[in-house]
Amino acid sequence: CLCYAAKPQIPLAEIFRVLRPDGQLIIFDGFLNTKLEQYPKSLQIATKYTETSMAVQNGFGEIHDWTSSAESIGFHVQSLENISFAVQPNLARLQKLSLRLFQMSWRAKLLIYLFPKYLTINAIAGLLMPFTFNPESGSLGYYKLILKRPKIT
């Protein structure tokens, strides 16, 4: 996932370099819809917990910063579509599984002890993602982004 890149310009520049002229890069990934500071404090905290539990160390990048970076490298943005609505059923299922894990009293403690730590931490993201990736009010969006390397003239 490109959302893990601390400096998105580096992988984007390398992809641009190796992509043939007139080639496309299609990205499906999570991004901030806008600056995190513009959201209510509770949503900012939920977003930070989601990022931490998904191991996105530098936080999700803002979608418009990503498209600006891509354009500055030479890509043309062919398409930008927020498809968060399409992942909502999966996020709802993940949330149910996470709730089940945390509601299992002694069994949950045993599972948490036996499972690798990252699975337990990911369960926190499972609880929060239906809120943070909410198409109407969430801070994060799941985007389909199509970038094109122009033809050489």
Side-chain angles (χ1 to χ4, degrees):
C1 292
L2 289 171
C3 67
Y4 290 94
K7 297 178 182 174
Q9 301 84 352
I10 295 171
L12 284 173
E14 181 61 13
I15 293 167
F16 185 85
R17 185 185 72 77
V18 299
L19 192 65
R20 68 175 170 75
D22 210 29
Q24 293 181 326
L25 169 63
I26 302 172
I27 301 169
F28 289 90
D29 214 341
F31 297 94
L32 277 169
N33 292 319
T34 188
K35 300 286 183 216
L36 189 57
E37 300 78 33
Q38 295 182 359
Y39 294 101
K41 192 69 172 167
S42 59
L43 190 54
Q44 290 179 35
I45 292 168
T47 302
K48 288 293 181 188
Y49 281 141
T50 300
E51 291 170 338
T52 301
S53 62
M54 293 179 67
V56 181
Q57 294 177 348
N58 300 298
F60 285 100
E62 187 190 343
I63 187 62
H64 296 294
D65 290 345
W66 267 80
T67 55
S68 294
S69 291
E71 289 172 331
S72 71
I73 290 166
F75 280 109
H76 291 296
V77 177
Q78 270 195 310
S79 174
L80 174 63
E81 184 181 358
N82 186 333
I83 57 170
S84 297
F85 66 91
V87 298
Q88 289 304 306
N90 289 335
L91 295 181
R93 274 193 297 277
L94 182 59
Q95 186 181 49
K96 282 182 186 178
L97 289 171
S98 297
L99 279 170
R100 242 193 281 163
L101 174 68
F102 288 117
Q103 291 174 342
M104 294 173 105
S105 65
W106 68 270
R107 281 180 265 162
K109 291 176 185 160
L110 179 62
L111 288 173
I112 288 170
Y113 178 76
L114 295 174
F115 282 163
K117 240 349 167 207
Y118 72 89
L119 288 177
T120 305
I121 293 169
N122 263 308
I124 295 168
L127 292 172
L128 297 173
M129 285 169 56
F131 303 107
T132 57
F133 279 90
N134 184 300
E136 284 102 38
S137 59
S139 55
L140 299 169
Y142 194 71
Y143 285 87
K144 175 184 171 186
L145 174 61
I146 301 176
L147 303 174
K148 185 172 186 173
R149 180 176 177 175
K151 289 181 182 179
I152 299 173
T153 55

